[in-house]
Amino acid sequence: MIIGVPKEIKNNEYRVALTPQGVDALLKHGHTVYIETGAGIGSSISDDKYLSAGAELLPTAEDVWSTAEMIMKVKEPIESEYELMKDGQVLFTYLHLAADRPLTDKLLEKNVTSIAYETVQTEKGGLPLLSPMSEVAGRLSAQVAANLLMKSEGGRGILMGGTAGTARAKTVVLGGGTAGYEAAKVAAGMGSRVTVFDINIERLMYLEDVNRDEIDTAYSTPLAVAEALRDADVVIGSVLIPGARTPHLVTNEMVANMKPGSVLVDIAIDQGGCFEDSHPTTHTNPTFKVHNSTFYCVANMPGVMPHTSTYALTNATMRYALLLADKGWKEALGARPDLLHGLMTYDGALYCENVASAFGQDFKRPQEAIA
């Protein structure tokens, strides 16, 4: 198979979909890999390293898209890339379609076979291709919140861990999955008082077992969240329903009742965000004000930690990329039920119920695509 890796062009997106080690693995299986010139520079991977691994360099994104049978990316195609997609091409990347109607329509129009990293799901509910970036985003969210609490950034001027004789910041984390847990661990490590809300009792029990002395847990209800927010300095939203638009757990009214200078970080913004007032921002202009609080809603948070993120992502995606290249996408999806969950579009039809529900569209069962 011919695999193409274009350079990421989303705002401040420095990751790349494949490392030289990933290139080497694909080549050893008999495949061809084309990398757009300069695609890895943001992740501190030079063109020479790709050449040494056996990749072929192409000068433009147009060259990569037009040549490849399967495109591997990190982030979803943006508008300027829509017309580069071609009929029958396999696209393997993060997509988050439930929050992106224009891209969904274009994938259907172009008859692209799209497979989303974020909905590849194991029998036990694990999200192996989302988890590495959730770790990065979760840990980064606590760092971002601590910075935005500074008075010079419009915050309350409170130190996460306080000092002797002074109060610590109070952090509320909505969602106890990978991103939420990582956010809670880092915030607690900074000395903040942390409470994690979730509706999964088993998950809350697990968090209690491993972090009894550092992190509090609470069952998530609208009233419980509203009460916690009134006293919170930081709120980190990390709620996820695979493939679906994120429910709004924090209303405008709740924010109006928060402390002036409080900070809200929405990790779930890729799927629409879990705060009512959230809208996607960029690393160039990451924040905006709602009432007297600061919102941070950057849709590609791990993009500014590209070296760590690129290697972590390739470590996770390579076994699936090799399977897709070795067997072709239909046989690969038939062999791996977890990968089958990732199918979004094929031959002009939608294959994800949650995306279809978000837009009121019809959908087919993924099994029909590989029958």
Side-chain angles (χ1 to χ4, degrees), residues 21-150:
Q21 291 79 3
V23 170
D24 179 69
L26 286 163
L27 264 62
K28 282 183 167 57
H29 280 239
H31 307 295
T32 301
V33 180
Y34 289 105
I35 306 285
E36 183 182 350
T37 301
I41 291 175
S43 295
S44 302
I45 303 173
S46 67
D47 288 342
D48 286 342
K49 289 182 179 178
Y50 283 119
L51 289 171
S52 296
E56 298 182 47
L57 297 182
L58 293 178
T60 68
E62 289 81 359
D63 293 328
V64 174
W65 283 89
S66 64
T67 305
E69 298 169 272
M70 178 169 76
I71 292 289
M72 290 186 66
K73 288 182 89 282
V74 178
K75 291 302 294 178
E76 72 284 348
I78 63 174
E79 187 174 357
S80 62
E81 296 172 295
Y82 286 178
E83 296 308 318
L84 300 179
M85 299 185 289
K86 63 183 184 181
D87 193 306
Q89 196 166 49
V90 176
L91 175 62
F92 192 35
T93 186
Y94 289 116
L95 288 169
H96 303 288
L97 294 185
D100 196 339
R101 180 66 181 264
L103 176 58
T104 303
D105 290 342
K106 187 58 67 171
L107 290 170
L108 295 171
E109 176 191 324
K110 291 281 189 175
N111 295 323
V112 173
T113 300
S114 62
I115 302 168
Y117 292 163
E118 73 274 6
T119 56
V120 173
Q121 188 170 12
T122 66
E123 186 178 349
K124 294 184 178 180
L127 301 168
L129 304 189
L130 185 62
S131 290
M133 297 304 95
S134 294
E135 287 187 51
V136 175
R139 295 179 185 187
L140 185 58
S141 68
Q143 295 178 212
V144 166
N147 183 65
L148 292 175
L149 281 176
M150 293 192 298

Side-chain angles (χ1 to χ4, degrees), residues 310-367:
T310 288
Y311 279 88
L313 183 59
T314 297
N315 290 344
T317 58
M318 272 314 300
R319 56 177 170 162
Y320 296 103
L322 284 169
L323 188 65
L324 288 165
D326 288 347
K327 295 181 176 295
W329 72 269
K330 284 192 176 183
E331 189 174 343
L333 268 60
R336 292 294 298 258
D338 50 349
L339 191 56
L340 183 60
H341 284 296
L343 183 64
M344 294 286 111
T345 62
Y346 161 61
D347 196 25
L350 192 58
Y351 286 86
C352 179
E353 181 177 1
N354 284 332
V355 175
S357 177
F359 302 134
Q361 290 182 273
D362 295 330
F363 73 98
K364 296 181 179 181
R365 294 172 61 250
Q367 291 80 2

